[in-house]
């Protein structure tokens, strides 16, 4: 059984990824989120999946999972605009944290759906 963490599990992308993985009983899913009430709603939306849990983002530890899916993002253009540079700082923080942890646990598969990873630590400009 694969242990899978979904970061940003309450957003549109995170919920879609969770629903897809929840179709298979061969996965233990951990929904990692800032808003635990919203994450619990995702669990409720997938009642047939027995191996589905919730974890506050502050408690997330990278090495415990076979697969980590990063779906952290602002969600819509209005929220992106209101977050301003805070969004970039958050993206850089998570990129740095994940890449540092990947060096320690190279066997973990990291899949990123966050649009912010095309910027910051990896590149100085958007990917063309």
């Amino acid at each position: 059984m694969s242990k899978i963490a979904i970061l940003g599990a309450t957003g549109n992308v995170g919920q879609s990824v969770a629903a897809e993985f929840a179709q298979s009983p061969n996965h233990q899913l951990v929904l990692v989120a800032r808003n635990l009430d919203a994450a619990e709603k995702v669990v409720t939306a997938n009642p047939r999946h027995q191996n589905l849990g919730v974890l506050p983002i502050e408690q997330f530890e990278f090495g415990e999972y076979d697969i980590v899916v990063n779906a952290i993002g602002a969600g819509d253009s209005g929220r992106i605009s209101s977050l301003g540079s805070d969004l970039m700082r958050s993206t850089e923080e998570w990129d740095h944290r994940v890449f540092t942890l990947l060096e320690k646990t190279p066997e973990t598969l990291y899949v990123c759906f966050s649009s912010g990873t095309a910027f910051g630590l990896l590149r100085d400009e958007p990917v063309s």
Side-chain angles (χ1 to χ4, degrees):
M1 179 178 294
S2 297
K3 188 171 182 183
I4 302 169
I6 302 174
L7 308 177
T10 60
N12 292 331
V13 174
Q15 286 184 49
S16 296
V17 171
E20 198 63 36
F21 278 121
Q23 292 182 32
S24 171
N26 298 325
H27 304 299
Q28 178 183 358
L29 296 178
V30 178
L31 307 179
V32 183
R34 289 182 304 249
N35 183 336
L36 297 184
D37 291 335
E40 288 294 342
K41 290 179 183 175
V42 177
V43 171
T44 304
N46 295 283
R48 293 190 343 223
H49 197 283
Q50 300 300 309
N51 296 310
L52 188 59
V54 172
L55 182 70
I57 200 159
E58 302 82 27
Q59 294 179 12
F60 171 73
E61 292 295 331
F62 198 82
E64 298 178 22
Y65 302 93
D66 301 301
I67 302 170
V68 174
V69 176
N70 181 352
I72 295 173
D76 64 63
S77 58
R79 186 146 185 257
I80 290 170
S81 178
S82 71
L83 288 171
S85 61
D86 287 342
L87 178 60
M88 191 62 207
R89 275 192 288 280
S90 176
T91 299
E92 286 180 342
E93 173 188 335
W94 276 97
D95 283 349
H96 180 71
R97 183 174 179 184
V98 166
F99 295 134
T100 299
L101 293 168
L102 269 175
E103 291 175 4
K104 297 175 186 173
T105 58
E107 66 280 357
T108 300
L109 176 63
Y110 178 59
V111 180
C112 187
F113 290 107
S114 173
S115 61
T117 59
F119 301 89
L121 298 175
L122 300 179
R123 297 183 62 98
D124 292 331
E125 58 188 47
V127 174
S128 61

